[in-house]
Amino acid sequence: MMNRVKNIGLVLFLIVLPVFLENCGFDIEESDRYFDWVKKGNTLTYNLRSTEYRVDKYSLLKIEESSGISDNMVFREETLPQKNDVPYFGPLLSVFSDVYRLDDGLHTATCSSCVSNPCISIQHYLKVPAKSGNIESIPEYSCAEKIYGYDVILRTDSIIEVPFGIFRTLVIHDTIRRNVKFWNEEAGLIRVDNYNRLQGDTLILELVETNY
């Protein structure tokens, strides 16, 4: 009986300990949970809305394994079939393709040389930081050290609601693709706002479901 009481006490102690440490100002390492959703076979589904349209399940984001490269995944966007009365807006997620989950966030890659053809080696660069800290903008490279644009961090702690739930997000303005993306480390890409210059409207993709 005494051993049983001790075991129960030990279990309760292990449950309470992390909360106690965090409340006392001790940092608890959580980096292994950042972007854990970036795994082969995972999918994210998005509804589309604008001033004029509401389209259920317009886009699908698939995470696949890269062929020939063992340490990275690939983002694949798929626009789902729609009824005839729904116009085709094309791919709207505009996510980078090759993705590497590293300690400081999600990276993509570019050729490490601007002159070699074909590309012999690659170099990583940050796309979505796990903890933005004092980062205000993120350079985007076409090759090696050649910068051709910047992603601007608009907000680091923005709470938004989408059909899938309410999330605390990192908001990044993609100046190359001219959209605004809302990221959550644990859940994924939550929302994408695309300004349609031809129609003067904003096409918004919102996360509605995942398979993880």
Side-chain angles (χ1 to χ4, degrees):
M1 180 68 180
M2 199 64 180
N3 289 335
R4 184 179 179 186
V5 172
K6 288 181 179 179
N7 291 337
I8 294 174
L10 178 61
V11 171
L12 291 175
F13 173 75
L14 292 175
I15 293 174
V16 173
L17 180 60
V19 178
F20 172 78
L21 291 174
E22 190 169 12
N23 289 337
C24 289
F26 293 91
D27 290 330
I28 299 174
E29 182 60 45
E30 295 182 339
S31 62
D32 59 336
R33 294 188 343 197
Y34 290 138
F35 304 105
D36 194 45
W37 54 274
V38 182
K39 293 180 179 178
K40 176 184 176 182
N42 284 351
T43 60
L44 300 85
T45 307
Y46 300 86
N47 288 349
L48 181 149
R49 68 177 174 89
S50 67
T51 303
E52 187 174 354
Y53 296 99
R54 295 289 188 277
V55 184
D56 291 337
K57 298 185 178 180
Y58 178 85
S59 286
L60 190 69
L61 180 61
K62 297 181 177 180
I63 303 169
E64 302 174 356
E65 192 172 46
S66 176
S67 58
I69 303 177
S70 60
D71 63 340
N72 80 304
M73 295 287 119
V74 175
F75 284 154
R76 303 282 190 204
E77 179 179 358
E78 179 180 329
T79 303
L80 301 174
Q82 302 297 329
K83 297 178 180 178
N84 293 332
D85 59 341
V86 177
Y88 177 68
F89 297 104
L92 294 174
L93 290 174
S94 299
V95 288
F96 47 99
S97 179
D98 292 306
V99 55
Y100 301 77
R101 185 164 65 97
L102 303 179
D103 290 341
D104 61 340
L106 297 183
H107 286 232
T108 190
T110 186
C111 189
S112 57
S113 172
C114 294
V115 295
S116 65
N117 187 15
C119 184
I120 299 174
S121 61
I122 62 172
Q123 69 177 34
H124 299 163
Y125 65 92
L126 183 66
K127 283 295 292 181
V128 185
K131 292 184 178 179
S132 59
N134 295 323
I135 300 175
E136 296 181 354
S137 63
I138 304 169
E140 186 158 349
Y141 299 89
S142 58
C143 59
E145 298 300 321
K146 186 176 181 180
I147 298 174
Y148 74 103
Y150 288 87
D151 293 341
V152 179
I153 295 179
L154 301 179
R155 291 180 295 279
T156 60
D157 199 24
S158 179
I159 297 176
I160 64 169
E161 183 174 4
V162 297
F164 194 60
I166 300 174
F167 297 91
R168 192 180 302 274
T169 61
L170 173 68
V171 186
I172 300 178
H173 177 205
D174 187 332
T175 61
I176 300 297
R177 298 162 187 84
R178 298 181 180 179
N179 60 37
V180 176
K181 295 183 175 71
F182 299 74
W183 295 89
N184 177 276
E185 295 97 335
E186 296 181 4
L189 180 57
I190 304 301
R191 179 173 132 179
V192 181
D193 293 1
N194 295 272
Y195 180 67
N196 189 329
R197 289 179 296 173
L198 296 178
Q199 297 186 0
D201 197 2
T202 300
L203 303 174
I204 299 175
L205 290 178
E206 297 179 311
L207 184 65
V208 62
E209 68 181 28
T210 71
N211 71 337
Y212 50 85

